[in-house]
Amino acid sequence: MRPNLVKAAPWLVVLAMFLLWELVCAGFDIPEFLLPAPSAVWKVGVLQFEPIMMHATQTFLTTLAGFAIAVVVGLLIGMAVGSSPLLYRAMYPLLVGFNSIPKVAFVPVLVVWFGIGTVPAILTAFLISFFPVVVNVATGLATLEPELEDVLRSLGASRLDILGKVGLPRAMPYFFASLKVAITLAFVGSVIAETVASNLGIGYLMMSASSSMNMPLVFAGLIVIGVMGVVMYELFALVEKRMTGWAHRNPNGAT
Amino acid sequence: MSFVKFENVDLAYAPGGALAIENVSLEVREGEFVAVVGPSGCGKSTLMKLISGLRMPSGGYVYVDGRQVGGPLKIVGMAFQNANLLPWRTTLDNVMLPLEIVEPYRSTLKKARSRYEAEARQLLARVGLAGFEDKYPWELSGGMQQRASICRALIHQPRLLMLDEPFGALDAFTREELWCMLRDLWQLQPFTVILVTHDLREAVFLADTVYVMSKRPGRILVRREIELPRPRDLDVTYTDAFAGHVHELREHIGRVRAT
């Protein structure tokens, strides 16, 4: 009984939210151009299924491209920063400062450089999502136990040996945890850029729908983004579990 | 001819800063079992870093095997209070780790893997870990992890084994079991051991020679040879001769702490 409840709980919560939403819309007679009821959103979703899927695919691929760059760049910077105390000190303020800039403010710059379209969206997704990867990989490497390092160094291990045998495997749980965060941020990045400067993607679809007061379509777009985010998050949570099971062991001994 | 030799060694961690150890001179024969005892923070662990070449002395000279130490030595095995096993590797793979780093094993590991693996299994069996080779560290008890950690320190047949309070975190019974394990390993195939410990009974039971160090900056106060006959059995710890050694060392430590 209990395990089933735990499994069903997230679905029940989502269902309850939609129900409440529907009831509020019907009960207070809220006009559709302010807050469309889920049923209205569903209707639009079915009617406009093909254009929505087309834009969603665009957003999805854009996000994945930005995310892929973020993983590679984040891993490289994280490895550099995490394995050298000097680089750590030197680079961290710059990285934090850069991360503090709202990326929406950076989109116009990207548009000037690369024009309107997919490239700024990919880059925004990359810029917004690489930071957690850097921080996590760097933390994983920098918190290596000094005794363990001594054991290896006394054997004559090079820095590369230590990184490969201990540092990176040890940083993997941090790395995979950061992927979950990064993929959802990447969606935020690509949608922001599409809203400001694109004529493709869910962001653009929502922008144009809201300018013609087609609120059900706007909400359909929001829900599609949310669903994509959850699916990708769960996917990477699964990958994390598969790759780093040793770090998520049950303290009672059973794995 | 001595295997490890310290000549008036000083070490300050920061240049010009406070000394961690001061004017330490000692000599260790090849195959000798040495224990270093002293109050906490007396620079015992510093001694280990100097011998293994992880630190250079600020003054004086450190020789190992007739050569001045100028960098990490590869003839050393180390184990610490924390077993520090890698949680993503099985016990066997943890023990084999040094073979992936130290020559000549490193370059022959691919070809001779099964032979090395057999050696590792044999070593694990010798410390009572047969059947646990393919378990992960978290599936082992603290004492078992420490046994595996000592196997890892010995797998590449180092001529010098350095132990930094390896049994400090274990309960009294497990600790005595591991003393015997270490004694047996050493008796079977003598290597030089430098054991840093708080435990005077441990030092007297295992060592040929016990050094007492002072508070920071660490200096060697006393050198005491333990001439109890070998092989020693746990029963020896209840003899008067044994108690006499422990008492005497305890007095030195007490005097150090009082000052």
Side-chain angles (χ1 to χ4, degrees):
Chain A
M1 180 64 214
R2 278 306 288 258
N4 283 340
L5 185 66
V6 170
K7 251 184 202 155
W11 300 100
L12 291 177
V13 168
V14 171
L15 201 68
M17 184 195 77
F18 278 116
L19 256 172
L20 185 70
W21 178 1
E22 185 79 41
L23 285 176
V24 166
C25 286
F28 294 97
D29 208 12
I30 297 173
E32 195 166 87
F33 61 86
L34 283 183
L35 179 64
S39 54
V41 175
W42 176 256
K43 213 156 51 187
V44 153
V46 172
L47 271 174
Q48 310 236 25
F49 184 72
E50 266 173 41
I52 291 177
M53 282 320 284
M54 191 267 284
H55 288 292
T57 311
Q58 164 75 16
T59 300
F60 184 68
L61 295 179
T62 307
T63 304
L64 278 194
F67 173 72
I69 304 173
V71 170
V72 173
V73 173
L75 204 54
L76 289 178
I77 299 182
M79 274 161 61
V81 169
S83 48
S84 153
L86 175 69
L87 273 180
Y88 196 94
R89 289 291 291 262
M91 298 275 291
Y92 229 73
L94 183 70
L95 284 169
V96 171
F98 186 78
N99 191 50
S100 312
I101 300 173
K103 296 305 169 296
V104 67
F106 207 72
V107 177
V109 179
L110 293 174
V111 170
V112 171
W113 288 350
F114 300 103
I116 283 181
T118 310
V119 178
I122 292 178
L123 288 178
T124 314
F126 153 62
L127 288 175
I128 207 170
S129 63
F130 86 100
F131 189 71
V133 181
V134 172
V135 172
N136 273 35
V137 172
T139 307
L141 289 176
T143 53
L144 181 62
E145 293 87 348
E147 288 92 357
L148 199 48
E149 217 177 324
D150 280 355
V151 168
L152 291 167
R153 281 182 55 212
S154 68
L155 296 169
S158 66
R159 294 190 86 146
L160 213 62
D161 284 334
I162 296 177
L163 190 70
K165 300 279 178 223
V166 187
L168 282 181
R170 203 179 160 286
M172 280 304 110
Y174 296 84
F175 171 66
F176 283 109
S178 78
L179 293 189
K180 293 186 299 189
V181 182
I183 187 69
T184 51
L185 283 175
F187 274 110
V188 174
S190 55
V191 173
I192 283 177
E194 286 167 359
T195 318
V196 179
S198 180
N199 38 31
L200 266 178
I202 289 285
Y204 164 76
L205 179 74
M206 284 162 53
M207 216 40 201
S208 67
S210 72
S211 63
S212 59
M213 291 302 249
N214 187 354
M215 284 305 264
L217 186 54
V218 174
F219 273 85
L222 285 176
I223 290 173
V224 167
I225 299 168
V227 169
M228 287 195 292
V230 171
V231 168
M232 292 310 283
Y233 181 96
E234 287 298 330
L235 183 70
F236 280 104
L238 206 69
V239 171
E240 181 189 8
K241 237 183 176 163
R242 291 296 292 270
M243 301 296 289
T244 59
W246 57 267
H248 299 274
R249 63 192 178 258
N250 183 335
N252 297 326
T255 43
Chain B
M1 165 111 184
S2 53
F3 183 57
V4 176
K5 188 172 177 188
F6 274 52
E7 267 180 23
N8 311 100
V9 172
D10 296 333
L11 181 87
Y13 276 102
L19 290 177
I21 63 167
E22 187 179 17
N23 197 24
V24 169
S25 298
L26 56 84
E27 286 185 40
V28 181
R29 278 177 285 111
E30 174 126 50
E32 188 174 355
F33 200 130
V34 169
V36 180
V37 297
S40 13
C42 70
K44 291 173 299 199
S45 305
T46 306
L47 218 57
M48 306 219 346
K49 289 196 175 178
L50 284 165
I51 299 171
S52 57
L54 294 173
R55 282 270 168 189
M56 295 298 120
S58 318
Y61 302 96
V62 179
Y63 301 93
V64 174
D65 198 20
R67 268 193 301 261
Q68 195 176 343
V69 174
L73 298 169
K74 289 157 198 183
I75 54 162
V76 171
M78 287 176 119
F80 298 85
Q81 180 167 355
N82 278 326
N84 279 316
L85 300 175
L86 308 178
W88 57 89
R89 285 172 171 242
T90 61
T91 306
L92 182 70
D93 287 340
N94 264 295
V95 171
M96 305 257 303
L97 179 68
L99 303 185
E100 295 168 21
I101 292 166
V102 182
E103 296 291 359
Y105 305 98
R106 184 182 190 139
S107 43
T108 52
L109 184 61
K110 264 210 184 99
K111 267 191 291 176
R113 181 157 197 110
S114 55
R115 201 183 80 225
Y116 292 151
E117 226 179 87
E119 277 171 25
R121 281 177 193 277
Q122 205 180 4
L123 185 59
L124 280 166
R126 212 175 296 149
V127 301
L129 284 181
F132 291 91
E133 297 93 339
D134 300 317
K135 295 256 188 274
Y136 285 88
W138 73 82
E139 299 173 278
L140 307 183
S141 68
M144 289 163 123
Q145 290 186 22
Q146 204 52 261
R147 287 167 200 255
S149 169
I150 288 171
C151 286
R152 181 177 66 187
L154 288 174
I155 188 69
H156 57 295
Q157 308 196 326
R159 291 170 64 194
L160 181 57
L161 175 66
M162 290 206 279
L163 302 169
D164 191 350
E165 296 179 32
F167 312 129
L170 303 174
D171 66 84
F173 299 112
T174 311
R175 196 178 304 165
E176 289 182 354
E177 265 171 46
L178 266 75
W179 292 355
C180 296
M181 171 208 83
L182 182 59
R183 173 201 64 195
D184 294 341
L185 286 172
W186 179 78
Q187 214 98 50
L188 195 73
Q189 193 177 38
F191 37 83
T192 312
V193 187
I194 297 182
L195 167 73
V196 164
T197 180
H198 283 307
D199 187 337
L200 298 177
R201 292 178 62 241
E202 180 172 304
V204 174
F205 178 67
L206 287 168
D208 298 315
T209 316
V210 178
Y211 289 91
V212 179
M213 284 186 76
S214 71
K215 278 200 296 206
R216 213 162 243 255
R219 273 165 292 126
I220 301 246
L221 292 181
V222 182
R223 173 178 190 276
R224 189 59 70 236
E225 295 198 7
I226 311 294
E227 276 152 357
L228 301 169
R230 290 193 185 268
R232 293 173 194 162
D233 198 62
L234 271 179
D235 286 337
V236 85
T237 61
Y238 302 103
T239 61
D240 288 341
F242 186 90
H245 282 298
V246 174
H247 257 137
E248 195 207 327
L249 292 170
R250 183 70 190 84
E251 265 168 41
H252 286 293
I253 299 267
R255 225 173 291 151
V256 174
R257 285 172 60 91
T259 52

